[in-house]
Amino acid sequence: MIDPLTIDVDGFLIDWCGPPLAPPRDLPASCRWLPEPLRDLHRLVSRWPGPRPYFGLLNMRDPEEIEAKGRAVTFMSDPTGDWLWAFDLDDPDVVYDRELYEGWEEVDESLSVFLRHAVVQEAMCVGSARRWGEVPRDRLEDVLAPMTEVAFGAWRWPGPGRRIFMNDGLVAEVLSLEGPGISRPVPGLVEVSIAANTPKGLAYLDAVAEIPGLRRADPPRSLSQTP
């Protein structure tokens, strides 16, 4: 497995977004209370300004908008606002999640690992090529052949049994469709989403026998590559 802390976020963003378009944004003094890993991430992604920021699926709140209204300080939500993530005001390395109107539960990742997880997850939306579908479990090895699993902790969103695989140019998300916590099990299938940071990055899939259920996704959400 890949140790999440070995993922170079700076290099990863360049690989997936292209060369930076601007210098890092200086955060105001009022944001100094935020955990250093969170401040650093906001500085990194600020180098790609424009109408389509890096975080488009996950709603990473602007540093100036983060407020401490209790011990759990919310800094991110899912696209619908039904899931929230927070760091612990007294111990910022601790991360919590909760579904709207439910209680906070501790995430099995430190803040540094969690933020790397979020960056890799978001690459699914900015890749140059994507495929997705419900794939027979016995064909999963063919889909994931070039990649290695990342030792991220479990997220309860978007569902239980979710795993992330990657290499230098690919990211794949695998979601189990059977087992505990699955409301409508589909035996023998897994849901797979895979993205590449180059248009031809998924060409290896064309070299194997047709994989039932795996199809090309809609065009990805691209970032502006010109100043």
Side-chain angles (χ1 to χ4, degrees):
M1 280 197 176
I2 297 172
D3 180 348
L5 291 176
T6 65
I7 297 173
D8 174 18
V9 176
D10 190 6
F12 184 90
L13 288 169
I14 291 173
D15 286 344
W16 286 81
C17 303
L21 304 176
R25 178 170 75 97
D26 291 329
L27 299 182
S30 61
C31 296
R32 290 176 183 168
W33 68 280
L34 296 173
E36 184 177 2
L38 188 58
R39 299 199 312 268
D40 288 346
L41 179 59
H42 279 284
R43 291 192 191 99
L44 285 176
V45 299
S46 72
R47 296 179 303 164
W48 290 271
R52 292 175 175 149
Y54 182 76
F55 285 102
L57 173 67
L58 296 169
N59 177 24
M60 188 71 68
R61 295 186 177 180
D62 290 337
E64 296 90 339
E65 296 177 350
I66 299 175
E67 297 180 297
K69 297 182 178 180
R71 181 170 176 175
V73 182
T74 302
F75 65 90
M76 192 178 87
S77 63
D78 78 329
T80 64
D82 290 334
W83 281 89
L84 305 170
W85 289 267
F87 65 83
D88 189 303
L89 186 62
D90 298 328
D91 186 358
D93 208 33
V94 174
V95 178
Y96 304 106
D97 73 358
R98 72 179 176 94
E99 197 167 8
L100 200 59
Y101 308 121
E102 301 294 333
W104 291 108
E105 293 190 19
E106 187 171 340
V107 176
D108 187 24
E109 292 178 327
S110 66
L111 181 61
S112 293
V113 171
F114 179 91
L115 294 175
R116 284 171 168 80
H117 194 158
V119 167
V120 172
Q121 166 71 30
E122 197 67 37
M124 300 296 303
C125 294
V126 300
S128 298
R130 295 188 297 165
R131 295 191 191 182
W132 70 281
E134 296 179 357
V135 173
R137 186 176 292 278
D138 60 6
R139 297 303 306 278
L140 187 59
E141 185 176 346
D142 293 330
V143 177
L144 302 176
M147 291 171 276
T148 302
E149 186 170 2
V150 188
F152 287 133
W155 281 15
R156 294 192 294 158
W157 176 91
R162 176 176 164 277
R163 301 158 68 192
I164 299 289
F165 296 76
M166 65 182 291
N167 65 12
D168 289 341
L170 300 171
V171 171
E173 175 187 77
V174 178
L175 189 64
S176 175
L177 295 177
E178 55 184 324
I182 305 299
S183 58
R184 296 181 179 178
V186 186
L189 294 181
V190 291
E191 184 176 292
V192 177
S193 299
I194 180 170
N197 62 9
T198 64
K200 297 182 179 180
L202 299 180
Y204 76 95
L205 291 172
D206 299 326
V208 299
E210 181 180 356
I211 300 171
L214 192 64
R215 51 196 177 275
R216 285 176 173 80
D218 294 334
R221 176 184 60 83
S222 62
L223 301 178
S224 172
Q225 294 293 299
T226 56

